[in-house]
């Protein structure tokens, strides 16, 4: 009796996924573009917050901040947001979670820049009011941008524009329940 090795022919269901195919499918649905869009939006919101903060500083009686420190603050804020996972794909989008992350990141960046400005030689006039003003404007602007962005992404998911391929292993009760739940909640992506 002749026997045949199990790996003689590949079964289609057990073939490994090709990274090019998966990446192409994800690009087709625009999943990579959401992170770039979020990064661009955060950059624009930080720029707008810095401009408004600096343009209205004289009327508030506050000394203007050096553009170098505004760039350091913006870069540090974006780095903290990235480190806290705000540019990663999330299963559930929560406005409160985004707000918490934005306020935390802007507060940490503000404290770090304020500490650096105190430690490094230079002009230290009106540092507290400058830092507080920039923190307040950037937290509000970033939070508004994030809420709008998350809402846009949620609507795109509900309309099937930002779907991710899902493989359900198993055809039993649990697999069928999982499929029903995913179909019932397209906002999960």
């Amino acid at each position: 009796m002749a026997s045949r090795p199990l790996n003689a022919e590949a079964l289609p269901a057990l073939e490994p996924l090709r990274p090019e195919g998966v990446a192409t499918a994800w690009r087709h649905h625009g999943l990579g573009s959401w992170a770039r869009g979020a990064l661009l939006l955060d950059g624009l919101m930080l720029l707008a917050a810095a401009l408004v903060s600096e343009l209205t500083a004289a009327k508030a009686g506050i000394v203007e901040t050096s553009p170098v420190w505004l760039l350091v603050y913006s870069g540090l804020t974006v780095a903290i947001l990235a480190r806290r996972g705000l540019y990663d794909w999330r299963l559930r989008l929560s406005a409160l979670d985004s707000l918490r992350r934005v306020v935390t990141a802007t507060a940490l960046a503000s404290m770090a820049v304020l500490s650096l400005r105190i430690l490094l030689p230079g002009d230290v006039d009106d540092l507290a009011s400058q830092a507080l003003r920039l923190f307040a404007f950037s937290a509000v602007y970033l939070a508004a941008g994030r809420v709008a962005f998350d809402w846009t992404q949620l609507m795109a998911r509900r309309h099937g524009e930002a779907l991710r391929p899902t493989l359900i292993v198993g055809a039993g009760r649990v697999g069928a329940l999982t499929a029903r739940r995913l179909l019932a909640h397209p906002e999960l992506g």
Side-chain angles (χ1 to χ4, degrees):
M1 178 157 138
S3 65
R4 172 179 92 172
L6 290 175
N7 59 1
E9 63 183 81
L11 297 173
L14 299 178
E15 287 183 11
L17 292 174
R18 291 182 182 83
E20 302 85 33
V22 173
T24 303
W26 287 354
R27 250 185 263 118
H28 173 69
H29 294 295
L31 292 176
S33 64
W34 286 106
R36 287 190 300 271
L39 183 63
L40 178 64
L41 179 69
D42 288 347
L44 290 174
M45 289 292 113
L46 284 168
L47 177 65
L51 284 174
V52 170
S53 174
E54 290 305 305
L55 291 175
T56 59
K59 284 188 176 184
I62 297 172
V63 179
E64 291 182 3
T65 308
S66 168
V68 172
W69 289 114
L70 294 174
L71 285 174
V72 169
Y73 173 78
S74 298
L76 194 55
T77 302
V78 169
I80 293 171
L81 288 172
R83 180 72 177 131
R84 295 189 58 82
L86 213 56
Y87 302 117
D88 297 339
W89 190 87
R90 292 178 286 159
L91 184 62
R92 291 203 184 266
L93 297 173
S94 168
L96 290 177
D97 187 41
S98 293
L99 292 176
R100 178 181 52 86
R101 290 178 185 197
V102 163
V103 170
T104 302
T106 52
L108 288 173
S110 183
M111 288 186 288
V113 168
L114 184 60
S115 298
L116 279 173
R117 290 185 69 185
I118 289 172
L119 292 174
L120 295 176
D123 190 20
V124 292
D125 291 336
D126 218 14
L127 286 184
S129 58
Q130 287 176 353
L132 186 59
R133 185 176 182 81
L134 184 59
F135 162 68
F137 276 104
S138 60
V140 169
Y141 279 51
L142 276 175
R146 267 299 159 170
V147 168
F149 186 79
D150 285 350
W151 182 80
T152 304
Q153 189 175 13
L154 184 63
M155 290 298 113
R157 287 182 183 186
R158 284 187 181 159
H159 291 79
E161 297 171 9
L163 299 176
R164 290 186 86 159
T166 303
L167 173 66
I168 300 172
V169 178
R173 276 189 336 205
V174 175
L177 178 64
T178 302
R180 278 194 305 272
R181 285 186 179 171
L182 285 174
L183 290 172
H185 298 283
E187 68 271 9
L188 296 176

